Amino acid sequence: MKRICLLLAMVCAFGMAGWTAASARGLVFNLTDYGIVPDGSAGDLSAKLERALRAISAKVGDGDEVVVKFKKGRYDFHAADARGYELYVSNHDQDQPKRVVFYLDGWKNLTLDGNGSDFVFHGRLVPVAVRNCEDCTLKNFSIDFEQPQITQAEIVENSGQDGITFRVLEGTDYRIGQNGRFEIYGEGWTMQPVGGIAFEAATRHIVYNTGDISCNTAGVKDLGNRLMQAPNWKDDRLVPGTRVAMRSWARPCPGIFLDENVNTTLKNVKVHYAEGMGLIAQRCENITLEKFSVCLRGKDDVRYFTTQADATHFSQCRGSIISKNGLYEGMMDDAINIHGVYLKVRERIDDHTLRCRFEHDQAWGFAWGDVGDTVSFVRSATMEVACSPTVITAIKPADKPEIKGCREYIITVRDALPKEINAAEGYGIENLTWTPEVVFSGNTVRNNRARGALFSSPRRTVCENNFFDHTSGTAILLCGDCNGWYESGAVRDLVIRRNKFVNALTNMFQFTNAVISIYPEIPDLSGQKTYFHGGTAGAIVIEDNEFDTFDAPLLYAKSVDGLVFRNNKVKKNDEYAPFHWNRQPVMLEHCTNTEIPDYDVE
């Protein structure tokens, strides 16, 4: 009898398994069937898209593979018609709520295919937010804004002490504000620029030795025909024809926000503008970018700028981050930045329990860790690891009833902590579980502000076959900071190979000590007894690269154990006058186990 029951159970199990497999479908939904058509004929589409996605979701079963397709064309979306969500986005302003057009939450096996469409947004909003999704792909579309919160000025006349006359880019709505300053405005927003980045008209390179410039428009006069005269804007470096991206420091909304996803792919996606990062991912596992770009609309684009901040940014991610064959240009910060987040120890409750806090004003309010995660502790002054890694046994928000919007956590760990780990001594806690392997390959980074690529992960990282062209600051930075940005991640296994660097360091920004700058923030370097980066022989290998440069510094390294710099070629040019304070091709501070043979200089 038992054997018969077992056989029946097995038949039922196999039958149910077969039914489940058979019931999984490949579903294709054309958004034209939901009244979403291109080129303005359907009016504003924000609310209509939300309803369509909700209707499609109701038709999808477990295991279904879903394709949502657009007809090729231009689609306009307005902030006034988009729903607001409470979203805490790493490295962005934490104003709430944030309006979102494409809000994808809880989807599995979804492909969103834009079919080559242009998605154009109006107002202040997040174009795309993907949250709590698995095995999803976004492809074949571009993101742009009809009127960015950056404006572009063409210098028409520079009269020295009498100020600057500039022409405002066509398509920008502008006026003189009540305080007498130049002001641009759009749907639901205004902006008075406080600074800017200057671009050469012909080359689109950032103007040599300018960096972040001041744009004082107090007392500005409207001369008509889009001409403005600013008597208090004085800068001899801005010759007629120069284009200036006039901006604020706000970064409320990324172009694409990825949060708590598993296996996300973006293919053939372009971001032409966002008032923040082009793409920001936090607490995600396995992200692939294939021909993802933050770029202009080709060589004839009237704009010289793209995003307000980084092109791509990854905070507290794990698994793999793969970025290949992209173009990153004209952004107001780095092409890629990968890091974790240090929480600062604010209170020692007992030998196993601490109260810890998000310190940076643009990085809080989201999940930081889970029970079972491996963590380590770092002394802020010397950036030295305090003890062996341990494991979280309990974690809960300390200042809120839930994780969303919290800034402090109560964290309990398995092993008793050394007495010196307390608030008075200054310690940070790092989550080692949420750290990724990285491949950054075949990309072009050019004509951007600040730096090229920032890597801060202890896992295998490969940066190869990229072209860094006039990045204006350092091309590659390895940082680590438990004092200001609180971005964690000592580098333990990195190779930088077969990249070409052309005229980096035409300007000075933070951490820009050489073309490749290994610059952890260490307030008390003389008191450091160990090393922050590396830890084994050949932990960081820089080889087979080509440097085409007008200035001296190639490599700066601080606090590294196991650095190799070999088989690199250097070509000198005279396109700019050398000006960097660092006159050493290779400059080391507190490094050991280095292998730096001679290199070729043409």
Short mmCIF file of all heavy atoms in Angstrom, two decimals, residues 262-299:
data_model
loop_
_atom_site.label_atom_id
_atom_site.label_comp_id
_atom_site.label_asym_id
_atom_site.label_seq_id
_atom_site.Cartn_x
_atom_site.Cartn_y
_atom_site.Cartn_z
N VAL A 262 18.35 41.34 -9.17
CA VAL A 262 19.25 40.22 -9.46
C VAL A 262 19.24 40.00 -10.97
O VAL A 262 18.18 39.89 -11.59
CB VAL A 262 18.80 38.93 -8.74
CG1 VAL A 262 19.73 37.77 -9.10
CG2 VAL A 262 18.78 39.14 -7.23
N ASN A 263 20.42 39.97 -11.57
CA ASN A 263 20.60 39.67 -13.00
C ASN A 263 19.88 40.70 -13.89
O ASN A 263 18.84 40.43 -14.48
CB ASN A 263 20.09 38.26 -13.34
CG ASN A 263 20.80 37.18 -12.56
OD1 ASN A 263 21.93 37.37 -12.12
ND2 ASN A 263 20.13 36.07 -12.36
N THR A 264 20.48 41.87 -13.97
CA THR A 264 19.94 42.96 -14.78
C THR A 264 20.89 43.23 -15.95
O THR A 264 22.10 43.33 -15.76
CB THR A 264 19.78 44.24 -13.95
OG1 THR A 264 19.01 43.96 -12.78
CG2 THR A 264 19.09 45.33 -14.77
N THR A 265 20.32 43.37 -17.14
CA THR A 265 21.11 43.65 -18.34
C THR A 265 20.56 44.89 -19.03
O THR A 265 19.35 45.05 -19.17
CB THR A 265 21.05 42.46 -19.31
OG1 THR A 265 21.60 41.30 -18.67
CG2 THR A 265 21.85 42.75 -20.57
N LEU A 266 21.48 45.77 -19.46
CA LEU A 266 21.11 46.92 -20.29
C LEU A 266 21.91 46.84 -21.58
O LEU A 266 23.14 46.75 -21.54
CB LEU A 266 21.38 48.23 -19.57
CG LEU A 266 20.42 48.55 -18.42
CD1 LEU A 266 20.97 48.04 -17.11
CD2 LEU A 266 20.15 50.04 -18.32
N LYS A 267 21.20 46.86 -22.73
CA LYS A 267 21.84 46.75 -24.03
C LYS A 267 21.41 47.92 -24.92
O LYS A 267 20.21 48.22 -25.01
CB LYS A 267 21.45 45.44 -24.74
CG LYS A 267 21.97 44.18 -24.09
CD LYS A 267 21.55 42.96 -24.91
CE LYS A 267 22.07 41.66 -24.30
NZ LYS A 267 21.65 40.48 -25.10
N ASN A 268 22.38 48.54 -25.56
CA ASN A 268 22.07 49.59 -26.53
C ASN A 268 21.15 50.67 -25.94
O ASN A 268 20.18 51.10 -26.56
CB ASN A 268 21.44 49.00 -27.79
CG ASN A 268 22.33 47.99 -28.47
OD1 ASN A 268 23.52 48.20 -28.63
ND2 ASN A 268 21.76 46.85 -28.83
N VAL A 269 21.49 51.07 -24.74
CA VAL A 269 20.75 52.14 -24.07
C VAL A 269 21.65 53.37 -24.00
O VAL A 269 22.83 53.27 -23.64
CB VAL A 269 20.29 51.72 -22.66
CG1 VAL A 269 19.68 52.90 -21.91
CG2 VAL A 269 19.29 50.57 -22.75
N LYS A 270 21.10 54.54 -24.32
CA LYS A 270 21.85 55.80 -24.27
C LYS A 270 21.14 56.77 -23.33
O LYS A 270 19.92 56.93 -23.40
CB LYS A 270 21.96 56.43 -25.66
CG LYS A 270 22.77 55.62 -26.67
CD LYS A 270 22.83 56.35 -28.00
CE LYS A 270 23.74 55.65 -29.00
NZ LYS A 270 23.21 54.33 -29.40
N VAL A 271 21.93 57.41 -22.48
CA VAL A 271 21.42 58.49 -21.65
C VAL A 271 22.09 59.78 -22.12
O VAL A 271 23.31 59.91 -22.05
CB VAL A 271 21.71 58.25 -20.16
CG1 VAL A 271 21.21 59.42 -19.32
CG2 VAL A 271 21.06 56.95 -19.68
N HIS A 272 21.27 60.70 -22.61
CA HIS A 272 21.81 61.97 -23.11
C HIS A 272 21.80 63.06 -22.04
O HIS A 272 22.56 64.01 -22.14
CB HIS A 272 21.01 62.43 -24.33
CG HIS A 272 21.06 61.47 -25.48
ND1 HIS A 272 22.25 61.05 -26.05
CD2 HIS A 272 20.07 60.83 -26.16
CE1 HIS A 272 21.99 60.20 -27.03
NE2 HIS A 272 20.69 60.05 -27.12
N TYR A 273 20.94 62.90 -21.05
CA TYR A 273 20.94 63.84 -19.93
C TYR A 273 20.21 63.23 -18.75
O TYR A 273 19.22 62.50 -18.91
CB TYR A 273 20.26 65.18 -20.27
CG TYR A 273 20.18 66.09 -19.05
CD1 TYR A 273 21.31 66.75 -18.59
CD2 TYR A 273 18.99 66.21 -18.34
CE1 TYR A 273 21.25 67.53 -17.44
CE2 TYR A 273 18.92 66.99 -17.19
CZ TYR A 273 20.05 67.65 -16.75
OH TYR A 273 20.01 68.41 -15.61
N ALA A 274 20.67 63.52 -17.54
CA ALA A 274 19.95 63.26 -16.30
C ALA A 274 20.47 64.24 -15.26
O ALA A 274 21.64 64.60 -15.26
CB ALA A 274 20.13 61.81 -15.83
N GLU A 275 19.59 64.66 -14.35
CA GLU A 275 19.98 65.60 -13.30
C GLU A 275 20.54 64.84 -12.11
O GLU A 275 20.16 65.01 -10.96
CB GLU A 275 18.78 66.45 -12.88
CG GLU A 275 19.19 67.68 -12.09
CD GLU A 275 18.01 68.48 -11.57
OE1 GLU A 275 16.85 68.04 -11.69
OE2 GLU A 275 18.26 69.57 -11.01
N GLY A 276 21.50 63.99 -12.39
CA GLY A 276 22.16 63.15 -11.41
C GLY A 276 23.04 62.19 -12.16
O GLY A 276 23.64 62.53 -13.18
N MET A 277 23.16 60.94 -11.69
CA MET A 277 23.90 59.93 -12.42
C MET A 277 23.12 59.50 -13.68
O MET A 277 21.89 59.56 -13.70
CB MET A 277 24.13 58.68 -11.56
CG MET A 277 24.59 58.94 -10.14
SD MET A 277 26.27 59.54 -10.08
CE MET A 277 26.54 59.58 -8.29
N GLY A 278 23.85 59.03 -14.68
CA GLY A 278 23.16 58.41 -15.80
C GLY A 278 22.50 57.12 -15.36
O GLY A 278 21.33 56.86 -15.68
N LEU A 279 23.25 56.31 -14.61
CA LEU A 279 22.74 55.07 -14.03
C LEU A 279 23.32 54.92 -12.64
O LEU A 279 24.53 55.08 -12.45
CB LEU A 279 23.10 53.87 -14.90
CG LEU A 279 22.70 52.48 -14.39
CD1 LEU A 279 22.37 51.56 -15.56
CD2 LEU A 279 23.81 51.83 -13.54
N ILE A 280 22.48 54.62 -11.67
CA ILE A 280 22.94 54.31 -10.31
C ILE A 280 22.31 52.99 -9.89
O ILE A 280 21.11 52.78 -10.04
CB ILE A 280 22.57 55.42 -9.31
CG1 ILE A 280 22.83 54.99 -7.86
CG2 ILE A 280 21.13 55.88 -9.47
CD1 ILE A 280 24.26 54.87 -7.46
N ALA A 281 23.16 52.07 -9.40
CA ALA A 281 22.69 50.77 -8.91
C ALA A 281 23.10 50.62 -7.46
O ALA A 281 24.25 50.89 -7.11
CB ALA A 281 23.27 49.64 -9.75
N GLN A 282 22.18 50.21 -6.63
CA GLN A 282 22.51 49.94 -5.23
C GLN A 282 21.91 48.60 -4.81
O GLN A 282 20.81 48.23 -5.22
CB GLN A 282 22.01 51.06 -4.31
CG GLN A 282 20.51 51.20 -4.23
CD GLN A 282 20.05 52.46 -3.49
OE1 GLN A 282 20.73 53.48 -3.50
NE2 GLN A 282 18.89 52.38 -2.85
N ARG A 283 22.68 47.85 -4.04
CA ARG A 283 22.23 46.57 -3.52
C ARG A 283 21.71 45.64 -4.62
O ARG A 283 20.70 44.95 -4.49
CB ARG A 283 21.16 46.80 -2.45
CG ARG A 283 21.67 47.46 -1.18
CD ARG A 283 22.10 46.45 -0.17
NE ARG A 283 20.97 45.63 0.26
CZ ARG A 283 21.05 44.70 1.21
NH1 ARG A 283 22.20 44.44 1.80
NH2 ARG A 283 19.99 44.01 1.57
N CYS A 284 22.43 45.61 -5.72
CA CYS A 284 22.06 44.74 -6.84
C CYS A 284 23.10 43.63 -7.00
O CYS A 284 24.26 43.80 -6.63
CB CYS A 284 21.96 45.53 -8.13
SG CYS A 284 20.55 46.66 -8.20
N GLU A 285 22.67 42.53 -7.58
CA GLU A 285 23.54 41.39 -7.83
C GLU A 285 23.55 41.08 -9.33
O GLU A 285 22.50 40.82 -9.91
CB GLU A 285 23.06 40.17 -7.04
CG GLU A 285 23.92 38.94 -7.20
CD GLU A 285 23.48 37.78 -6.32
OE1 GLU A 285 22.59 37.99 -5.46
OE2 GLU A 285 24.03 36.67 -6.47
N ASN A 286 24.73 41.16 -9.93
CA ASN A 286 24.95 40.83 -11.34
C ASN A 286 24.28 41.85 -12.28
O ASN A 286 23.08 41.80 -12.53
CB ASN A 286 24.43 39.42 -11.69
CG ASN A 286 25.11 38.34 -10.88
OD1 ASN A 286 26.24 38.49 -10.45
ND2 ASN A 286 24.41 37.24 -10.65
N ILE A 287 25.10 42.74 -12.77
CA ILE A 287 24.65 43.77 -13.72
C ILE A 287 25.56 43.71 -14.93
O ILE A 287 26.79 43.69 -14.81
CB ILE A 287 24.71 45.17 -13.09
CG1 ILE A 287 23.81 45.25 -11.86
CG2 ILE A 287 24.32 46.24 -14.12
CD1 ILE A 287 23.97 46.53 -11.08
N THR A 288 24.95 43.70 -16.11
CA THR A 288 25.70 43.72 -17.37
C THR A 288 25.27 44.93 -18.19
O THR A 288 24.08 45.11 -18.46
CB THR A 288 25.46 42.44 -18.18
OG1 THR A 288 25.91 41.30 -17.43
CG2 THR A 288 26.22 42.49 -19.50
N LEU A 289 26.26 45.75 -18.56
CA LEU A 289 26.04 46.87 -19.47
C LEU A 289 26.75 46.55 -20.77
O LEU A 289 27.97 46.42 -20.80
CB LEU A 289 26.58 48.17 -18.88
CG LEU A 289 26.14 48.57 -17.47
CD1 LEU A 289 26.74 49.91 -17.09
CD2 LEU A 289 24.63 48.61 -17.35
N GLU A 290 26.00 46.42 -21.85
CA GLU A 290 26.56 46.15 -23.17
C GLU A 290 26.15 47.28 -24.10
O GLU A 290 24.97 47.47 -24.38
CB GLU A 290 26.06 44.81 -23.71
CG GLU A 290 26.52 44.49 -25.12
CD GLU A 290 28.03 44.45 -25.29
OE1 GLU A 290 28.71 43.90 -24.38
OE2 GLU A 290 28.53 44.94 -26.31
N LYS A 291 27.14 48.06 -24.54
CA LYS A 291 26.89 49.24 -25.35
C LYS A 291 25.92 50.19 -24.66
O LYS A 291 25.06 50.82 -25.27
CB LYS A 291 26.38 48.87 -26.74
CG LYS A 291 27.42 48.15 -27.58
CD LYS A 291 26.93 47.91 -29.00
CE LYS A 291 28.01 47.23 -29.83
NZ LYS A 291 27.56 46.94 -31.22
N PHE A 292 26.07 50.30 -23.35
CA PHE A 292 25.37 51.32 -22.59
C PHE A 292 26.22 52.58 -22.64
O PHE A 292 27.42 52.54 -22.40
CB PHE A 292 25.17 50.88 -21.14
CG PHE A 292 24.52 51.93 -20.28
CD1 PHE A 292 23.14 52.01 -20.20
CD2 PHE A 292 25.28 52.84 -19.56
CE1 PHE A 292 22.54 52.97 -19.41
CE2 PHE A 292 24.69 53.81 -18.78
CZ PHE A 292 23.30 53.89 -18.70
N SER A 293 25.60 53.72 -22.95
CA SER A 293 26.37 54.94 -23.12
C SER A 293 25.69 56.12 -22.45
O SER A 293 24.46 56.21 -22.39
CB SER A 293 26.53 55.26 -24.61
OG SER A 293 27.27 54.25 -25.27
N VAL A 294 26.53 57.01 -21.93
CA VAL A 294 26.10 58.35 -21.53
C VAL A 294 26.82 59.28 -22.49
O VAL A 294 28.04 59.43 -22.41
CB VAL A 294 26.44 58.63 -20.07
CG1 VAL A 294 26.19 60.09 -19.73
CG2 VAL A 294 25.62 57.72 -19.15
N CYS A 295 26.07 59.85 -23.42
CA CYS A 295 26.74 60.47 -24.57
C CYS A 295 25.89 61.56 -25.19
O CYS A 295 24.69 61.70 -24.92
CB CYS A 295 27.05 59.40 -25.61
SG CYS A 295 25.59 58.54 -26.27
N LEU A 296 26.53 62.32 -26.05
CA LEU A 296 25.86 63.32 -26.86
C LEU A 296 25.08 62.64 -27.99
O LEU A 296 25.24 61.44 -28.24
CB LEU A 296 26.87 64.29 -27.43
CG LEU A 296 27.78 65.00 -26.42
CD1 LEU A 296 28.86 65.78 -27.14
CD2 LEU A 296 26.97 65.91 -25.51
N ARG A 297 24.32 63.45 -28.71
CA ARG A 297 23.58 62.93 -29.87
C ARG A 297 24.42 63.06 -31.13
O ARG A 297 23.99 63.62 -32.14
CB ARG A 297 22.26 63.69 -30.02
CG ARG A 297 21.23 63.35 -28.95
CD ARG A 297 19.93 64.08 -29.22
NE ARG A 297 18.87 63.64 -28.33
CZ ARG A 297 18.07 62.60 -28.54
NH1 ARG A 297 18.22 61.87 -29.64
NH2 ARG A 297 17.11 62.29 -27.69
N GLY A 298 25.63 62.55 -31.07
CA GLY A 298 26.49 62.56 -32.23
C GLY A 298 27.35 63.81 -32.31
O GLY A 298 27.25 64.73 -31.50
N LYS A 299 28.18 63.88 -33.35
CA LYS A 299 29.16 64.96 -33.47
C LYS A 299 28.53 66.31 -33.75
O LYS A 299 29.18 67.35 -33.56
CB LYS A 299 30.16 64.61 -34.55
CG LYS A 299 29.59 64.44 -35.96
CD LYS A 299 30.67 64.03 -36.95
CE LYS A 299 30.09 63.83 -38.35
NZ LYS A 299 29.54 65.07 -38.91
#
